[in-house]
Amino acid sequence: NKNKHLKHKEMKKLLGLLLGLTLAFSCAEQKSSAIPYSEAQNYFLKNDAKESGNDFIKVESKEDFDKLFGAAARMGENGTPTNIDFSKDYVIVLTTKPTTKTTDIVVKDITKDKDNVLITYSVSEGAENSYTIKPVKILVVSKEYDGNISLNKL
Protein backbone atom coordinates (compact mmCIF):
# COMPACT_ATOMS: atom_id res chain seq x y z
CA ASN A 1 0.00 0.00 0.00
CA LYS A 2 2.89 2.30 0.81
CA ASN A 3 4.43 1.60 -2.61
CA LYS A 4 1.16 2.57 -4.30
CA HIS A 5 1.16 5.85 -2.38
CA LEU A 6 4.76 6.59 -3.42
CA LYS A 7 4.05 5.77 -7.04
CA HIS A 8 0.98 8.00 -6.96
CA LYS A 9 3.07 10.86 -5.51
CA GLU A 10 5.83 10.31 -8.07
CA MET A 11 3.25 10.21 -10.85
CA LYS A 12 1.77 13.52 -9.65
CA LYS A 13 5.26 15.08 -9.62
CA LEU A 14 5.98 13.77 -13.08
CA LEU A 15 2.68 15.05 -14.44
CA GLY A 16 3.31 18.43 -12.81
CA LEU A 17 6.77 18.57 -14.36
CA LEU A 18 5.42 17.60 -17.78
CA LEU A 19 2.66 20.19 -17.53
CA GLY A 20 5.20 22.86 -16.55
CA LEU A 21 7.47 21.96 -19.45
CA THR A 22 4.56 21.94 -21.87
CA LEU A 23 3.50 25.40 -20.73
CA ALA A 24 7.05 26.70 -20.95
CA PHE A 25 7.48 25.42 -24.49
CA SER A 26 4.09 26.62 -25.65
CA CYS A 27 4.87 30.11 -24.34
CA ALA A 28 8.26 30.03 -26.03
CA GLU A 29 6.62 28.96 -29.28
CA GLN A 30 4.47 32.08 -29.47
CA LYS A 31 7.02 33.98 -31.50
CA SER A 32 6.42 36.73 -33.96
CA SER A 33 3.07 37.62 -35.42
CA ALA A 34 2.28 38.86 -38.91
CA ILE A 35 1.78 42.59 -39.38
CA PRO A 36 -0.75 43.84 -41.92
CA TYR A 37 0.58 46.41 -44.37
CA SER A 38 -0.24 47.96 -47.71
CA GLU A 39 1.91 49.25 -50.55
CA ALA A 40 1.70 52.92 -51.51
CA GLN A 41 1.28 53.42 -55.24
CA ASN A 42 1.93 56.24 -57.71
CA TYR A 43 4.83 58.01 -56.03
CA PHE A 44 8.26 58.70 -57.49
CA LEU A 45 11.54 59.17 -55.67
CA LYS A 46 12.71 62.74 -56.12
CA ASN A 47 16.06 63.29 -57.81
CA ASP A 48 17.26 65.43 -54.91
CA ALA A 49 16.19 62.91 -52.24
CA LYS A 50 19.01 62.35 -49.76
CA GLU A 51 20.67 58.94 -50.00
CA SER A 52 20.24 57.13 -46.67
CA GLY A 53 22.99 54.56 -47.21
CA ASN A 54 20.61 51.92 -45.76
CA ASP A 55 18.39 49.33 -47.40
CA PHE A 56 15.39 50.99 -45.76
CA ILE A 57 14.15 54.38 -44.58
CA LYS A 58 11.54 54.77 -41.84
CA VAL A 59 9.32 57.79 -42.47
CA GLU A 60 7.01 59.01 -39.71
CA SER A 61 5.74 62.37 -41.01
CA LYS A 62 4.22 63.82 -44.18
CA GLU A 63 6.94 66.48 -44.25
CA ASP A 64 9.71 63.85 -44.32
CA PHE A 65 7.79 61.81 -46.90
CA ASP A 66 7.34 64.85 -49.16
CA LYS A 67 11.11 65.47 -49.05
CA LEU A 68 11.64 62.03 -50.58
CA PHE A 69 8.66 61.51 -52.89
CA GLY A 70 6.49 63.33 -55.36
CA ALA A 71 2.99 62.30 -56.42
CA ALA A 72 2.83 60.57 -59.80
CA ALA A 73 -0.87 60.64 -60.67
CA ARG A 74 -1.83 58.63 -63.76
CA MET A 75 -4.92 58.43 -65.90
CA GLY A 76 -7.45 55.67 -65.32
CA GLU A 77 -8.43 53.45 -62.44
CA ASN A 78 -6.03 53.37 -59.48
CA GLY A 79 -4.19 56.37 -60.93
CA THR A 80 -4.23 58.57 -57.84
CA PRO A 81 -1.42 58.27 -55.29
CA THR A 82 -2.21 56.25 -52.17
CA ASN A 83 -3.40 58.45 -49.31
CA ILE A 84 -1.16 58.00 -46.26
CA ASP A 85 -2.47 59.17 -42.87
CA PHE A 86 0.67 59.81 -40.83
CA SER A 87 -1.41 60.31 -37.68
CA LYS A 88 -2.22 56.57 -37.81
CA ASP A 89 0.48 55.08 -40.04
CA TYR A 90 4.20 55.20 -40.74
CA VAL A 91 6.07 54.26 -43.88
CA ILE A 92 8.96 51.89 -44.48
CA VAL A 93 10.74 52.51 -47.77
CA LEU A 94 12.77 49.55 -49.03
CA THR A 95 15.50 50.57 -51.47
CA THR A 96 18.35 49.10 -53.46
CA LYS A 97 21.40 50.66 -55.05
CA PRO A 98 20.78 52.49 -58.35
CA THR A 99 20.77 50.03 -61.24
CA THR A 100 20.26 49.86 -64.99
CA LYS A 101 18.25 46.62 -64.66
CA THR A 102 14.51 46.29 -64.25
CA THR A 103 14.27 45.49 -60.54
CA ASP A 104 11.43 44.24 -58.39
CA ILE A 105 11.46 44.32 -54.58
CA VAL A 106 9.13 41.56 -53.35
CA VAL A 107 7.97 41.57 -49.72
CA LYS A 108 7.31 38.07 -48.38
CA ASP A 109 6.04 39.18 -44.97
CA ILE A 110 6.40 41.60 -42.10
CA THR A 111 6.36 40.24 -38.57
CA LYS A 112 6.68 41.72 -35.10
CA ASP A 113 8.50 40.13 -32.19
CA LYS A 114 8.46 42.27 -29.03
CA ASP A 115 9.84 45.67 -30.14
CA ASN A 116 11.25 44.44 -33.44
CA VAL A 117 9.67 44.65 -36.88
CA LEU A 118 11.22 42.15 -39.31
CA ILE A 119 10.71 42.54 -43.05
CA THR A 120 11.45 39.45 -45.15
CA TYR A 121 11.90 40.29 -48.82
CA SER A 122 13.75 39.49 -52.01
CA VAL A 123 15.06 41.49 -54.94
CA SER A 124 14.83 40.17 -58.49
CA GLU A 125 16.55 41.73 -61.45
CA GLY A 126 15.41 41.53 -65.04
CA ALA A 127 16.23 43.15 -68.36
CA GLU A 128 18.95 45.72 -68.89
CA ASN A 129 17.73 49.29 -69.51
CA SER A 130 19.39 52.28 -71.15
CA TYR A 131 18.72 54.34 -68.02
CA THR A 132 19.44 54.11 -64.30
CA ILE A 133 16.68 53.62 -61.72
CA LYS A 134 16.59 53.67 -57.93
CA PRO A 135 14.18 50.82 -57.03
CA VAL A 136 11.90 51.50 -54.06
CA LYS A 137 8.97 49.77 -52.36
CA ILE A 138 6.79 51.95 -50.11
CA LEU A 139 5.12 50.01 -47.27
CA VAL A 140 2.41 51.62 -45.15
CA VAL A 141 2.16 50.17 -41.62
CA SER A 142 -0.11 51.06 -38.70
CA LYS A 143 1.65 52.85 -35.82
CA GLU A 144 0.25 50.18 -33.49
CA TYR A 145 2.94 47.93 -35.00
CA ASP A 146 5.81 50.38 -34.53
CA GLY A 147 9.24 49.07 -33.60
CA ASN A 148 12.90 48.71 -34.49
CA ILE A 149 13.13 47.69 -38.11
CA SER A 150 15.39 44.90 -39.34
CA LEU A 151 15.59 43.23 -42.72
CA ASN A 152 15.85 39.63 -43.83
CA LYS A 153 16.85 39.65 -47.49
CA LEU A 154 16.27 36.28 -49.14
Side-chain angles (χ1 to χ4, degrees):
N1 203 0
K2 194 175 183 182
N3 276 347
K4 277 187 179 177
H5 184 66
L6 273 177
K7 284 184 181 178
H8 183 71
K9 236 180 174 179
E10 286 174 18
M11 190 62 90
K12 270 184 147 176
K13 273 187 185 177
L14 186 61
L15 281 172
L17 182 63
L18 283 173
L19 183 62
L21 285 172
T22 303
L23 282 173
F25 281 115
S26 65
C27 290
E29 273 303 302
Q30 292 181 356
K31 317 186 254 190
S32 54
S33 57
I35 294 176
Y37 68 93
S38 61
E39 291 183 23
Q41 302 293 324
N42 300 329
Y43 288 98
F44 66 92
L45 186 63
K46 292 181 178 178
N47 288 333
D48 62 349
K50 297 268 189 287
E51 187 64 41
S52 75
N54 295 326
D55 291 335
F56 75 92
I57 305 163
K58 185 176 182 181
V59 183
E60 300 183 82
S61 72
K62 180 166 177 30
E63 294 74 30
D64 288 345
F65 186 82
D66 290 344
K67 288 177 190 171
L68 296 169
F69 295 97
R74 296 182 308 181
M75 296 291 289
E77 239 181 275
N78 303 321
T80 56
T82 304
N83 183 36
I84 302 168
D85 183 351
F86 282 96
S87 68
K88 296 178 183 171
D89 301 321
Y90 69 98
V91 166
I92 302 167
V93 181
L94 296 179
T95 66
T96 70
K97 290 181 171 48
T99 181
T100 55
K101 295 187 176 191
T102 302
T103 303
D104 192 19
I105 300 170
V106 179
V107 176
K108 183 176 177 264
D109 64 16
I110 303 177
T111 55
K112 183 154 188 195
D113 183 14
K114 295 183 181 132
D115 292 334
N116 300 309
V117 174
L118 176 65
I119 302 168
T120 302
Y121 72 107
S122 63
V123 176
S124 61
E125 291 185 332
E128 186 75 34
N129 297 308
S130 59
Y131 52 87
T132 300
I133 59 168
K134 172 81 172 154
V136 297
K137 177 77 72 174
I138 305 169
L139 308 174
V140 181
V141 181
S142 170
K143 285 187 176 178
E144 73 179 272
Y145 302 106
D146 197 4
N148 303 314
I149 297 170
S150 58
L151 303 179
N152 178 24
K153 186 176 176 185
L154 300 174

